[in-house]
Amino acid sequence: MVKEKIVRLLNKQLNHELSSSYLYLSMSSYFETEKLSGFAAWMKIQSQEEYKHAMKLYDYVLQVNEQVVLQKIEAPINKWTSPLNVFQETYKHEKQITASIDELVEAALTEKDYATFNFLQWFITEQVEEEAAALLILDKIKLIGDNKTGLFFLDREMAGRARS
Ligand code: FEO
């Protein structure tokens, strides 16, 4: 049986994942307005990935015979100063999500909830990938600096995610 505290944290994490989905969709829309369609496509896929993460939590909470309690999702920000600014925020956001997963993992261990601990292993691995992906793009944007041609080619590269 999963303890009430863990169910509450799982539901909270579900909300974080849905909020992430909403945030990345907002970023995708920003990139569309900036005519950076490759960045926009990448962020739209990322938004869909976050929805899938939320659904993993949704399914798990139901599987352990507990109730999913959906929380309010705040409106995401919709203004950024540059692609650099977007990916600085993305990287910061992913680190916050990792901290939140870590908190959940720690709580599961403290409560000797080994089933939830085991379930969370996927998220631990995923967060390593998510942080690395955001940081790689952030570093590439920094490398490009003010070079518009560089940005054009990175946008084309970002579009590749949609094709892969
Ligand atoms: Fe589901 Fe990007 O954390």
Side-chain angles (χ1 to χ4, degrees), residues 123-145:
F123 284 87
I124 293 172
T125 307
E126 180 69 9
Q127 279 314 116
V128 173
E129 288 173 17
E130 297 263 284
E131 281 192 33
L135 185 60
L136 181 64
I137 296 164
L138 177 59
D139 284 344
K140 283 184 182 180
I141 295 172
K142 282 182 185 166
L143 205 62
I144 286 167

PDB file of all heavy atoms in Angstrom, residues 123-145:
ATOM      1  N   PHE A 123      12.310   7.747 -14.131  1.00  0.00           N
ATOM      2  CA  PHE A 123      12.351   9.215 -14.099  1.00  0.00           C
ATOM      3  C   PHE A 123      13.764   9.724 -13.781  1.00  0.00           C
ATOM      4  O   PHE A 123      14.177  10.761 -14.296  1.00  0.00           O
ATOM      5  CB  PHE A 123      11.341   9.761 -13.067  1.00  0.00           C
ATOM      6  CG  PHE A 123       9.925   9.710 -13.560  1.00  0.00           C
ATOM      7  CD1 PHE A 123       9.147   8.566 -13.400  1.00  0.00           C
ATOM      8  CD2 PHE A 123       9.355  10.796 -14.215  1.00  0.00           C
ATOM      9  CE1 PHE A 123       7.845   8.514 -13.862  1.00  0.00           C
ATOM     10  CE2 PHE A 123       8.050  10.753 -14.689  1.00  0.00           C
ATOM     11  CZ  PHE A 123       7.293   9.607 -14.514  1.00  0.00           C
ATOM     12  N   ILE A 124      14.488   8.979 -12.941  1.00  0.00           N
ATOM     13  CA  ILE A 124      15.863   9.389 -12.602  1.00  0.00           C
ATOM     14  C   ILE A 124      16.720   9.380 -13.869  1.00  0.00           C
ATOM     15  O   ILE A 124      17.418  10.345 -14.172  1.00  0.00           O
ATOM     16  CB  ILE A 124      16.467   8.439 -11.532  1.00  0.00           C
ATOM     17  CG1 ILE A 124      15.720   8.594 -10.205  1.00  0.00           C
ATOM     18  CG2 ILE A 124      17.954   8.724 -11.346  1.00  0.00           C
ATOM     19  CD1 ILE A 124      16.108   7.585  -9.137  1.00  0.00           C
ATOM     20  N   THR A 125      16.611   8.291 -14.630  1.00  0.00           N
ATOM     21  CA  THR A 125      17.372   8.177 -15.885  1.00  0.00           C
ATOM     22  C   THR A 125      16.933   9.248 -16.879  1.00  0.00           C
ATOM     23  O   THR A 125      17.749   9.893 -17.535  1.00  0.00           O
ATOM     24  CB  THR A 125      17.151   6.775 -16.509  1.00  0.00           C
ATOM     25  OG1 THR A 125      17.444   5.795 -15.517  1.00  0.00           O
ATOM     26  CG2 THR A 125      18.023   6.558 -17.720  1.00  0.00           C
ATOM     27  N   GLU A 126      15.631   9.438 -16.981  1.00  0.00           N
ATOM     28  CA  GLU A 126      15.072  10.411 -17.923  1.00  0.00           C
ATOM     29  C   GLU A 126      15.580  11.822 -17.616  1.00  0.00           C
ATOM     30  O   GLU A 126      15.908  12.586 -18.526  1.00  0.00           O
ATOM     31  CB  GLU A 126      13.537  10.358 -17.869  1.00  0.00           C
ATOM     32  CG  GLU A 126      12.815  11.326 -18.793  1.00  0.00           C
ATOM     33  CD  GLU A 126      12.964  10.995 -20.275  1.00  0.00           C
ATOM     34  OE1 GLU A 126      13.484   9.910 -20.592  1.00  0.00           O
ATOM     35  OE2 GLU A 126      12.586  11.840 -21.098  1.00  0.00           O
ATOM     36  N   GLN A 127      15.660  12.157 -16.329  1.00  0.00           N
ATOM     37  CA  GLN A 127      16.095  13.515 -15.973  1.00  0.00           C
ATOM     38  C   GLN A 127      17.553  13.764 -16.351  1.00  0.00           C
ATOM     39  O   GLN A 127      17.907  14.891 -16.709  1.00  0.00           O
ATOM     40  CB  GLN A 127      15.863  13.787 -14.478  1.00  0.00           C
ATOM     41  CG  GLN A 127      14.431  14.175 -14.144  1.00  0.00           C
ATOM     42  CD  GLN A 127      13.846  15.221 -15.077  1.00  0.00           C
ATOM     43  OE1 GLN A 127      12.889  14.957 -15.792  1.00  0.00           O
ATOM     44  NE2 GLN A 127      14.439  16.407 -15.133  1.00  0.00           N
ATOM     45  N   VAL A 128      18.375  12.721 -16.284  1.00  0.00           N
ATOM     46  CA  VAL A 128      19.773  12.887 -16.718  1.00  0.00           C
ATOM     47  C   VAL A 128      19.770  13.269 -18.203  1.00  0.00           C
ATOM     48  O   VAL A 128      20.457  14.197 -18.636  1.00  0.00           O
ATOM     49  CB  VAL A 128      20.589  11.587 -16.484  1.00  0.00           C
ATOM     50  CG1 VAL A 128      21.985  11.702 -17.084  1.00  0.00           C
ATOM     51  CG2 VAL A 128      20.673  11.274 -14.991  1.00  0.00           C
ATOM     52  N   GLU A 129      18.936  12.571 -18.992  1.00  0.00           N
ATOM     53  CA  GLU A 129      18.843  12.849 -20.432  1.00  0.00           C
ATOM     54  C   GLU A 129      18.257  14.234 -20.700  1.00  0.00           C
ATOM     55  O   GLU A 129      18.728  14.964 -21.564  1.00  0.00           O
ATOM     56  CB  GLU A 129      17.972  11.788 -21.114  1.00  0.00           C
ATOM     57  CG  GLU A 129      18.657  10.436 -21.206  1.00  0.00           C
ATOM     58  CD  GLU A 129      17.732   9.342 -21.738  1.00  0.00           C
ATOM     59  OE1 GLU A 129      16.685   9.670 -22.322  1.00  0.00           O
ATOM     60  OE2 GLU A 129      18.056   8.155 -21.539  1.00  0.00           O
ATOM     61  N   GLU A 130      17.219  14.584 -19.959  1.00  0.00           N
ATOM     62  CA  GLU A 130      16.546  15.869 -20.181  1.00  0.00           C
ATOM     63  C   GLU A 130      17.488  17.038 -19.889  1.00  0.00           C
ATOM     64  O   GLU A 130      17.529  18.002 -20.642  1.00  0.00           O
ATOM     65  CB  GLU A 130      15.309  15.986 -19.283  1.00  0.00           C
ATOM     66  CG  GLU A 130      14.251  14.952 -19.570  1.00  0.00           C
ATOM     67  CD  GLU A 130      13.145  15.461 -20.473  1.00  0.00           C
ATOM     68  OE1 GLU A 130      12.309  16.213 -19.981  1.00  0.00           O
ATOM     69  OE2 GLU A 130      13.131  15.090 -21.645  1.00  0.00           O
ATOM     70  N   GLU A 131      18.226  16.942 -18.791  1.00  0.00           N
ATOM     71  CA  GLU A 131      19.163  18.022 -18.453  1.00  0.00           C
ATOM     72  C   GLU A 131      20.274  18.106 -19.496  1.00  0.00           C
ATOM     73  O   GLU A 131      20.657  19.193 -19.922  1.00  0.00           O
ATOM     74  CB  GLU A 131      19.784  17.786 -17.066  1.00  0.00           C
ATOM     75  CG  GLU A 131      18.871  18.179 -15.933  1.00  0.00           C
ATOM     76  CD  GLU A 131      19.603  18.225 -14.599  1.00  0.00           C
ATOM     77  OE1 GLU A 131      20.798  18.564 -14.558  1.00  0.00           O
ATOM     78  OE2 GLU A 131      18.965  17.908 -13.574  1.00  0.00           O
ATOM     79  N   ALA A 132      20.787  16.943 -19.905  1.00  0.00           N
ATOM     80  CA  ALA A 132      21.882  16.922 -20.879  1.00  0.00           C
ATOM     81  C   ALA A 132      21.430  17.516 -22.215  1.00  0.00           C
ATOM     82  O   ALA A 132      22.168  18.286 -22.839  1.00  0.00           O
ATOM     83  CB  ALA A 132      22.375  15.491 -21.075  1.00  0.00           C
ATOM     84  N   ALA A 133      20.210  17.182 -22.641  1.00  0.00           N
ATOM     85  CA  ALA A 133      19.694  17.685 -23.925  1.00  0.00           C
ATOM     86  C   ALA A 133      19.545  19.205 -23.887  1.00  0.00           C
ATOM     87  O   ALA A 133      19.946  19.910 -24.826  1.00  0.00           O
ATOM     88  CB  ALA A 133      18.362  17.027 -24.247  1.00  0.00           C
ATOM     89  N   ALA A 134      18.989  19.721 -22.796  1.00  0.00           N
ATOM     90  CA  ALA A 134      18.782  21.175 -22.672  1.00  0.00           C
ATOM     91  C   ALA A 134      20.125  21.893 -22.619  1.00  0.00           C
ATOM     92  O   ALA A 134      20.314  22.937 -23.266  1.00  0.00           O
ATOM     93  CB  ALA A 134      17.954  21.487 -21.425  1.00  0.00           C
ATOM     94  N   LEU A 135      21.085  21.322 -21.879  1.00  0.00           N
ATOM     95  CA  LEU A 135      22.395  21.956 -21.747  1.00  0.00           C
ATOM     96  C   LEU A 135      23.157  21.957 -23.069  1.00  0.00           C
ATOM     97  O   LEU A 135      23.822  22.949 -23.410  1.00  0.00           O
ATOM     98  CB  LEU A 135      23.209  21.242 -20.657  1.00  0.00           C
ATOM     99  CG  LEU A 135      24.568  21.863 -20.324  1.00  0.00           C
ATOM    100  CD1 LEU A 135      24.413  23.300 -19.839  1.00  0.00           C
ATOM    101  CD2 LEU A 135      25.298  21.035 -19.268  1.00  0.00           C
ATOM    102  N   LEU A 136      23.034  20.867 -23.828  1.00  0.00           N
ATOM    103  CA  LEU A 136      23.722  20.785 -25.119  1.00  0.00           C
ATOM    104  C   LEU A 136      23.238  21.892 -26.052  1.00  0.00           C
ATOM    105  O   LEU A 136      24.040  22.573 -26.703  1.00  0.00           O
ATOM    106  CB  LEU A 136      23.482  19.404 -25.752  1.00  0.00           C
ATOM    107  CG  LEU A 136      24.164  19.146 -27.101  1.00  0.00           C
ATOM    108  CD1 LEU A 136      25.685  19.167 -26.954  1.00  0.00           C
ATOM    109  CD2 LEU A 136      23.710  17.812 -27.696  1.00  0.00           C
ATOM    110  N   ILE A 137      21.934  22.087 -26.105  1.00  0.00           N
ATOM    111  CA  ILE A 137      21.383  23.126 -26.984  1.00  0.00           C
ATOM    112  C   ILE A 137      21.785  24.508 -26.458  1.00  0.00           C
ATOM    113  O   ILE A 137      22.174  25.392 -27.232  1.00  0.00           O
ATOM    114  CB  ILE A 137      19.850  22.985 -27.115  1.00  0.00           C
ATOM    115  CG1 ILE A 137      19.512  21.653 -27.784  1.00  0.00           C
ATOM    116  CG2 ILE A 137      19.270  24.140 -27.922  1.00  0.00           C
ATOM    117  CD1 ILE A 137      18.071  21.214 -27.632  1.00  0.00           C
ATOM    118  N   LEU A 138      21.717  24.682 -25.149  1.00  0.00           N
ATOM    119  CA  LEU A 138      22.127  25.960 -24.552  1.00  0.00           C
ATOM    120  C   LEU A 138      23.576  26.279 -24.922  1.00  0.00           C
ATOM    121  O   LEU A 138      23.890  27.407 -25.328  1.00  0.00           O
ATOM    122  CB  LEU A 138      21.951  25.879 -23.019  1.00  0.00           C
ATOM    123  CG  LEU A 138      22.385  27.082 -22.198  1.00  0.00           C
ATOM    124  CD1 LEU A 138      21.638  28.350 -22.606  1.00  0.00           C
ATOM    125  CD2 LEU A 138      22.145  26.809 -20.700  1.00  0.00           C
ATOM    126  N   ASP A 139      24.454  25.298 -24.821  1.00  0.00           N
ATOM    127  CA  ASP A 139      25.870  25.511 -25.153  1.00  0.00           C
ATOM    128  C   ASP A 139      26.058  25.837 -26.633  1.00  0.00           C
ATOM    129  O   ASP A 139      26.893  26.672 -26.992  1.00  0.00           O
ATOM    130  CB  ASP A 139      26.692  24.263 -24.778  1.00  0.00           C
ATOM    131  CG  ASP A 139      26.917  24.168 -23.283  1.00  0.00           C
ATOM    132  OD1 ASP A 139      26.725  25.181 -22.582  1.00  0.00           O
ATOM    133  OD2 ASP A 139      27.281  23.070 -22.797  1.00  0.00           O
ATOM    134  N   LYS A 140      25.259  25.174 -27.494  1.00  0.00           N
ATOM    135  CA  LYS A 140      25.369  25.460 -28.934  1.00  0.00           C
ATOM    136  C   LYS A 140      24.937  26.898 -29.219  1.00  0.00           C
ATOM    137  O   LYS A 140      25.561  27.592 -30.021  1.00  0.00           O
ATOM    138  CB  LYS A 140      24.502  24.482 -29.745  1.00  0.00           C
ATOM    139  CG  LYS A 140      25.132  23.104 -29.883  1.00  0.00           C
ATOM    140  CD  LYS A 140      24.296  22.208 -30.778  1.00  0.00           C
ATOM    141  CE  LYS A 140      24.904  20.814 -30.862  1.00  0.00           C
ATOM    142  NZ  LYS A 140      24.138  19.908 -31.708  1.00  0.00           N
ATOM    143  N   ILE A 141      23.866  27.339 -28.562  1.00  0.00           N
ATOM    144  CA  ILE A 141      23.378  28.714 -28.766  1.00  0.00           C
ATOM    145  C   ILE A 141      24.447  29.706 -28.295  1.00  0.00           C
ATOM    146  O   ILE A 141      24.698  30.727 -28.946  1.00  0.00           O
ATOM    147  CB  ILE A 141      22.035  28.951 -28.028  1.00  0.00           C
ATOM    148  CG1 ILE A 141      20.933  28.072 -28.639  1.00  0.00           C
ATOM    149  CG2 ILE A 141      21.626  30.410 -28.100  1.00  0.00           C
ATOM    150  CD1 ILE A 141      19.617  28.080 -27.858  1.00  0.00           C
ATOM    151  N   LYS A 142      25.097  29.385 -27.191  1.00  0.00           N
ATOM    152  CA  LYS A 142      26.164  30.271 -26.695  1.00  0.00           C
ATOM    153  C   LYS A 142      27.325  30.328 -27.691  1.00  0.00           C
ATOM    154  O   LYS A 142      27.903  31.390 -27.932  1.00  0.00           O
ATOM    155  CB  LYS A 142      26.672  29.754 -25.344  1.00  0.00           C
ATOM    156  CG  LYS A 142      25.768  30.088 -24.177  1.00  0.00           C
ATOM    157  CD  LYS A 142      26.398  29.582 -22.889  1.00  0.00           C
ATOM    158  CE  LYS A 142      25.490  29.774 -21.706  1.00  0.00           C
ATOM    159  NZ  LYS A 142      25.929  28.993 -20.529  1.00  0.00           N
ATOM    160  N   LEU A 143      27.630  29.178 -28.266  1.00  0.00           N
ATOM    161  CA  LEU A 143      28.726  29.081 -29.236  1.00  0.00           C
ATOM    162  C   LEU A 143      28.431  29.943 -30.466  1.00  0.00           C
ATOM    163  O   LEU A 143      29.311  30.631 -30.990  1.00  0.00           O
ATOM    164  CB  LEU A 143      28.854  27.608 -29.651  1.00  0.00           C
ATOM    165  CG  LEU A 143      30.177  27.081 -30.159  1.00  0.00           C
ATOM    166  CD1 LEU A 143      31.239  27.206 -29.072  1.00  0.00           C
ATOM    167  CD2 LEU A 143      30.017  25.597 -30.541  1.00  0.00           C
ATOM    168  N   ILE A 144      27.201  29.930 -30.897  1.00  0.00           N
ATOM    169  CA  ILE A 144      26.768  30.685 -32.070  1.00  0.00           C
ATOM    170  C   ILE A 144      26.840  32.186 -31.815  1.00  0.00           C
ATOM    171  O   ILE A 144      27.195  32.962 -32.691  1.00  0.00           O
ATOM    172  CB  ILE A 144      25.329  30.259 -32.454  1.00  0.00           C
ATOM    173  CG1 ILE A 144      25.357  28.884 -33.107  1.00  0.00           C
ATOM    174  CG2 ILE A 144      24.675  31.264 -33.375  1.00  0.00           C
ATOM    175  CD1 ILE A 144      23.974  28.256 -33.231  1.00  0.00           C
ATOM    176  N   GLY A 145      26.509  32.591 -30.605  1.00  0.00           N
ATOM    177  CA  GLY A 145      26.515  34.020 -30.260  1.00  0.00           C
ATOM    178  C   GLY A 145      25.538  34.800 -31.115  1.00  0.00           C
ATOM    179  O   GLY A 145      24.376  34.390 -31.250  1.00  0.00           O
TER     180      GLY A 145
END
